Amino acid sequence: MSEGRRGAARSETARLAILEATAALFAERGYDHLSIEGIATRAGVGKQTVYRWWPGKSALIAECLLEGMLLPERFAMPDTGDLRADVVAWLTEVEAVLESPTGEGLFRSLIAAASENVDVARRLRESLADPRLFLPRLLAARDSGEVRADLPVEEVSEALVGAVMLRALAHSPADPGLPRRLVDLTLGPRPS
Amino acid sequence: MSEGRRGAARSETARLAILEATAALFAERGYDHLSIEGIATRAGVGKQTVYRWWPGKSALIAECLLEGMLLPERFAMPDTGDLRADVVAWLTEVEAVLESPTGEGLFRSLIAAASENVDVARRLRESLADPRLFLPRLLAARDSGEVRADLPVEEVSEALVGAVMLRALAHSPADPGLPRRLVDLTLGPRPS
Amino acid sequence: MSEGRRGAARSETARLAILEATAALFAERGYDHLSIEGIATRAGVGKQTVYRWWPGKSALIAECLLEGMLLPERFAMPDTGDLRADVVAWLTEVEAVLESPTGEGLFRSLIAAASENVDVARRLRESLADPRLFLPRLLAARDSGEVRADLPVEEVSEALVGAVMLRALAHSPADPGLPRRLVDLTLGPRPS
Amino acid sequence: MSEGRRGAARSETARLAILEATAALFAERGYDHLSIEGIATRAGVGKQTVYRWWPGKSALIAECLLEGMLLPERFAMPDTGDLRADVVAWLTEVEAVLESPTGEGLFRSLIAAASENVDVARRLRESLADPRLFLPRLLAARDSGEVRADLPVEEVSEALVGAVMLRALAHSPADPGLPRRLVDLTLGPRPS
DNA sequence: GGCTAAGCGAGACGGTACGTCGAGTCTTGGG
DNA sequence: CCCAAGACTCGACGTACCGTCTCGCTTAGCC
């Protein structure tokens, strides 16, 4: 029954201190000025304790993302029954964060982290628009005639999240009309 | 009339050697194992010669991109008159590159580079689908009724390029039907 | 009457395993590549069990020396009645060991250990030529006229062992005539 | 004719700062608490600058010894014409240093360093009694009848320096009569 | 043609961070 | 209370590159 493990158990205190230090330094200085050495120092932890449990800084970011320490909860899409309005609301929130001075660099940093770690990429995408939540909404909308019947639903969130990322990468200025236009583009005109 | 400069002129040999070394090492080892030191050595050039002309490695990548040393020319979109077919053709080519073992990492590395240098981001986007070429095509298509009149044309290439990037980041497997579906999503069903 | 100690007694098995591991690793890798961690692992013992009973690696070496696990027994000086011949015999044995590939490094390592632990120094010296055995021989020799009456006997073994150490430190090559000459130097010419 | 060297020349400032830091830290903390990291910091120098020119800390000690930064000059043996008196004087000086609180540890540290680096061993020995100076004195003394004609002169300095080292290793207390007795032992009684 | 810049290959310099090893301490669970 | 296991903090290792700074040489417009 017993695991047979011997020796001291992993310290949850250390684990949290490390993740918090990572999140703080990531927000302050960005992904590529992030150093394991700095994280360990800030967390009051030996470097070895970091390396014992994580292979590198991208894995730390992935775990922070999973624990919701980097991006706000509010990116979850609301469900008011009106799909277009809900997606617009979600995109607007995302834009609001990207407009903020901290949010902008943070998001670009996340993309950098994502580019060297699949986990980060997947979790980043899910943080923005989880396909497992997005898809059912779209399928329902297709059934109810809210969107055209042959809409390629799988690609909708890819296109939306992708466009947002691309704009973040290119430092494109915030654009208040954008969410609506992107929704119009991907979901098509509201059926009369 | 003359520039008035004295002393030796900039060596084009050195410039090219540096860019070629950059492109080669970038392809071999990826963006974040790229080092100025390594580039200078491989190019048979002093480090100072690199620093004299470029501020850092992201600028080198930006210039390589501009010189077409990283991505093939063929990403240019053909113009057969049939917009949907042309876009599908372009997307198919992009996918072909991303499918290749070298292309995949290379593209992700470019995204990493883009995340820390706007120029790279812009040039990367233009290498894939230059809005200055894309937009006129779309406007014409809107005029000719090939796409619906209220299509938000500015956002089309953003959504397409963004979706491709997102899939590359997430190591999504190549999908032969994808180009058609993405075109269908963004340009809408072909008018009857 | 009883010691009053409670709990398990010290494990002789562990003690021996540790000393054997120490001797083996010391012979294999030398004093300063010796690590408590390595010893514990090799001995199949927890690090704490080492630290509970010894303050550090030099103490382990001292105990190994005491147990005769590092240097052979044969360094004991024979007693044939002829002092000079006996000392030459002893020196010849020492030289034989120092000539051997393993012995050379081992001896230098012992000097390193001795330099940071008095006990090791004393035991090393005693392993070579124990003054408690050496001195009586010399006093008897002085009485019997085998050596000059005013010979400073205390210093003889110091000079002999010291010369041997110095030659080991300096990687001096083995020299077959050396024992005889050193004996001649310190004990003086055989009286006629 | 020219060396063909290019690039900046080695910085003598850095070299000296490193050697001085080494000597200071060595005297303060002993050989095995000496760290390259500490030396570099104290010298105000990058670690690489140390590693570029020396393979490790024992080589640094060897060079310090060569530059006379560790042991005083006065170990040179005087030459008053009276060999025995000169050697006694030299030994007395050595003892004086070993008696001093700093000298004792420093000397043992040197032995530790010598045990892992032949150069240190040789230079240490030469610092105490350079055979190239010692030997001619002895040969002359043998010719002049000051010492017996069959004295094995090569071994004299080995025995003397060795005895001193051995006593240092074993933390033997200083003994004012020792120099005279050692000289008596090795050079024999003064001829009548 | 000699003078004065600038460019160049090379490479040393003071630094930061890497990822690893080992030190010595502490904790867990079993005997 | 001992033991094996092993996680902990901390310090140092030796390496890789950073970006700056000489070196000694070559190149080229200017007097």
Side-chain angles (χ1 to χ4, degrees):
Chain A
M1 203 56 41
S2 113
E3 269 278 343
R5 281 256 296 85
R6 277 195 292 180
R10 174 171 184 183
S11 158
E12 183 63 11
T13 312
R15 187 185 147 264
L16 280 179
I18 290 166
L19 291 178
E20 269 150 23
T22 303
L25 290 170
F26 182 77
E28 283 170 24
R29 330 241 291 99
Y31 182 67
D32 49 340
H33 294 95
L34 202 58
S35 73
I36 303 277
E37 200 125 2
I39 290 169
T41 303
R42 163 86 78 121
V45 138
K47 262 202 291 183
Q48 203 56 250
T49 302
V50 180
Y51 283 111
R52 198 175 353 256
W53 303 110
W54 293 275
K57 60 182 185 171
S58 62
L60 280 163
I61 292 299
E63 190 154 338
C64 281
L65 217 38
L66 196 63
E67 303 263 333
M69 296 169 118
L70 292 177
L71 290 179
E73 298 297 323
R74 49 185 172 144
F75 283 134
M77 190 173 58
D79 185 355
T80 65
D82 179 349
L83 177 67
R84 281 177 181 76
D86 289 347
V87 177
V88 168
W90 162 73
L91 269 178
T92 306
E93 299 233 39
V94 172
E95 249 202 335
V97 167
L98 292 187
E99 245 177 311
S100 74
T102 60
E104 204 190 351
L106 189 141
F107 193 39
R108 263 196 303 281
S109 272
L110 278 173
I111 297 174
S115 74
E116 62 179 54
N117 185 311
V118 210
D119 268 9
V120 174
R122 284 204 243 275
R123 280 166 189 166
L124 175 55
R125 189 190 158 172
E126 286 166 15
S127 291
L128 295 176
D130 191 336
R132 286 167 305 188
L133 305 178
F134 223 83
L135 213 49
R137 290 290 310 268
L138 285 168
L139 291 173
R142 206 158 68 170
D143 289 346
S144 71
E146 219 176 340
V147 298
R148 61 181 162 112
D150 58 352
L151 187 79
V153 287
E154 306 258 6
E155 281 71 30
V156 172
S157 69
E158 270 171 8
L160 291 171
V161 172
V164 162
M165 279 197 177
L166 187 55
R167 292 184 63 92
L169 275 182
H171 296 236
S172 303
D175 174 346
L178 184 76
R180 179 143 268 118
R181 289 200 306 280
L182 276 176
V183 170
D184 180 34
L185 174 70
T186 51
L187 300 185
R190 187 171 298 241
S192 51
Chain B
M1 201 65 35
S2 103
E3 271 279 344
R5 291 252 285 79
R6 274 196 295 179
R10 175 171 185 183
S11 155
E12 182 65 9
T13 313
R15 186 183 149 267
L16 280 180
I18 290 166
L19 291 178
E20 268 150 24
T22 303
L25 290 170
F26 182 76
E28 283 170 24
R29 329 241 290 102
Y31 182 66
D32 50 340
H33 293 96
L34 201 59
S35 72
I36 302 280
E37 199 125 355
I39 290 168
T41 303
R42 163 85 79 121
V45 137
K47 271 203 288 182
Q48 201 55 249
T49 304
V50 179
Y51 283 112
R52 201 177 349 255
W53 303 109
W54 294 274
K57 62 181 184 172
S58 62
L60 282 163
I61 292 300
E63 189 154 340
C64 281
L65 217 39
L66 197 63
E67 304 263 333
M69 298 169 115
L70 293 177
L71 290 179
E73 297 297 321
R74 50 183 172 147
F75 283 135
M77 191 172 58
D79 184 356
T80 64
D82 178 349
L83 177 67
R84 280 178 182 78
D86 289 348
V87 177
V88 168
W90 161 73
L91 270 178
T92 305
E93 299 237 39
V94 172
E95 243 197 344
V97 167
L98 292 187
E99 242 176 315
S100 74
T102 61
E104 204 190 350
L106 189 141
F107 192 40
R108 265 197 302 282
S109 272
L110 278 173
I111 297 175
S115 75
E116 63 178 54
N117 185 310
V118 210
D119 268 10
V120 175
R122 284 204 246 274
R123 282 169 187 165
L124 174 55
R125 190 191 157 170
E126 286 166 15
S127 291
L128 295 176
D130 190 336
R132 285 166 305 188
L133 305 177
F134 223 84
L135 213 49
R137 292 288 310 269
L138 285 168
L139 291 173
R142 204 158 68 172
D143 289 347
S144 72
E146 217 176 342
V147 299
R148 60 180 164 112
D150 58 352
L151 187 79
V153 287
E154 306 259 7
E155 282 70 30
V156 172
S157 68
E158 271 172 6
L160 290 172
V161 172
V164 162
M165 281 199 175
L166 187 54
R167 292 184 65 92
L169 274 182
H171 296 233
S172 303
D175 173 347
L178 185 75
R180 179 143 269 117
R181 290 200 306 280
L182 274 176
V183 170
D184 181 33
L185 174 70
T186 51
L187 300 185
R190 174 163 279 146
S192 52
Chain C
M1 204 59 39
S2 104
E3 270 281 345
R5 292 251 283 79
R6 274 193 297 175
R10 174 172 185 182
S11 155
E12 182 64 9
T13 314
R15 185 182 150 268
L16 279 179
I18 289 166
L19 291 177
E20 268 151 24
T22 302
L25 290 169
F26 182 77
E28 283 168 25
R29 328 240 291 101
Y31 183 66
D32 49 341
H33 293 96
L34 202 59
S35 72
I36 302 279
E37 198 127 356
I39 291 168
T41 303
R42 163 86 78 121
V45 137
K47 271 205 286 183
Q48 202 54 248
T49 305
V50 179
Y51 282 111
R52 192 161 16 239
W53 304 108
W54 293 274
K57 62 182 185 171
S58 62
L60 281 163
I61 291 300
E63 190 154 338
C64 281
L65 217 39
L66 197 62
E67 304 264 332
M69 297 169 115
L70 293 176
L71 290 178
E73 297 296 322
R74 51 183 171 146
F75 283 135
M77 189 172 61
D79 185 355
T80 64
D82 179 349
L83 177 66
R84 279 177 182 77
D86 289 348
V87 177
V88 168
W90 161 74
L91 270 178
T92 306
E93 300 234 39
V94 172
E95 249 202 336
V97 168
L98 292 188
E99 245 176 312
S100 74
T102 60
E104 205 189 350
L106 189 141
F107 192 38
R108 266 195 301 280
S109 272
L110 278 173
I111 297 175
S115 74
E116 64 178 52
N117 184 309
V118 211
D119 268 10
V120 174
R122 283 203 246 274
R123 281 168 188 163
L124 174 55
R125 188 189 160 171
E126 286 166 15
S127 292
L128 295 176
D130 190 335
R132 285 167 305 187
L133 306 177
F134 222 83
L135 213 49
R137 291 290 309 271
L138 285 167
L139 291 173
R142 205 158 68 169
D143 289 345
S144 72
E146 219 177 339
V147 299
R148 60 181 163 112
D150 59 350
L151 187 79
V153 286
E154 306 258 6
E155 282 71 29
V156 171
S157 68
E158 270 172 7
L160 290 173
V161 172
V164 162
M165 280 198 175
L166 187 55
R167 292 184 63 91
L169 274 182
H171 296 234
S172 304
D175 173 347
L178 185 76
R180 178 142 269 120
R181 290 200 306 280
L182 275 176
V183 169
D184 181 34
L185 174 70
T186 50
L187 300 185
R190 186 172 298 243
S192 53
Chain D
M1 202 57 41
S2 115
E3 268 279 345
R5 280 259 296 87
R6 279 195 290 178
R10 174 171 184 183
S11 156
E12 183 64 10
T13 313
R15 188 184 146 265
L16 280 179
I18 290 166
L19 291 177
E20 268 150 24
T22 303
L25 291 170
F26 182 76
E28 284 169 24
R29 330 239 293 99
Y31 183 66
D32 48 342
H33 293 96
L34 201 58
S35 73
I36 302 278
E37 199 125 4
I39 290 168
T41 302
R42 164 85 78 118
V45 137
K47 262 202 290 184
Q48 203 55 248
T49 302
V50 180
Y51 283 111
R52 192 164 12 244
W53 303 108
W54 293 275
K57 60 183 186 170
S58 62
L60 281 163
I61 292 300
E63 190 154 338
C64 281
L65 218 37
L66 196 63
E67 303 264 330
M69 297 170 118
L70 292 177
L71 291 179
E73 299 296 323
R74 51 186 170 143
F75 283 136
M77 191 173 58
D79 185 356
T80 64
D82 179 349
L83 176 67
R84 281 178 181 76
D86 289 348
V87 177
V88 168
W90 161 73
L91 271 177
T92 305
E93 299 237 38
V94 172
E95 245 199 342
V97 167
L98 292 187
E99 244 176 314
S100 73
T102 60
E104 203 189 352
L106 189 140
F107 193 41
R108 263 195 304 281
S109 272
L110 279 173
I111 296 175
S115 74
E116 62 179 54
N117 184 311
V118 210
D119 269 7
V120 174
R122 283 204 246 274
R123 281 166 188 166
L124 174 55
R125 190 191 158 171
E126 286 166 14
S127 292
L128 295 176
D130 190 336
R132 286 167 304 187
L133 305 178
F134 222 85
L135 213 51
R137 291 290 310 269
L138 287 167
L139 291 173
R142 205 158 67 170
D143 288 346
S144 72
E146 218 176 343
V147 299
R148 61 182 163 110
D150 59 350
L151 187 78
V153 288
E154 305 260 6
E155 282 70 30
V156 172
S157 68
E158 270 172 6
L160 290 172
V161 172
V164 162
M165 280 199 176
L166 187 54
R167 291 185 64 92
L169 274 182
H171 296 233
S172 303
D175 172 347
L178 184 76
R180 179 142 268 119
R181 290 200 306 280
L182 276 176
V183 170
D184 181 33
L185 173 70
T186 51
L187 300 185
R190 177 163 278 148
S192 51

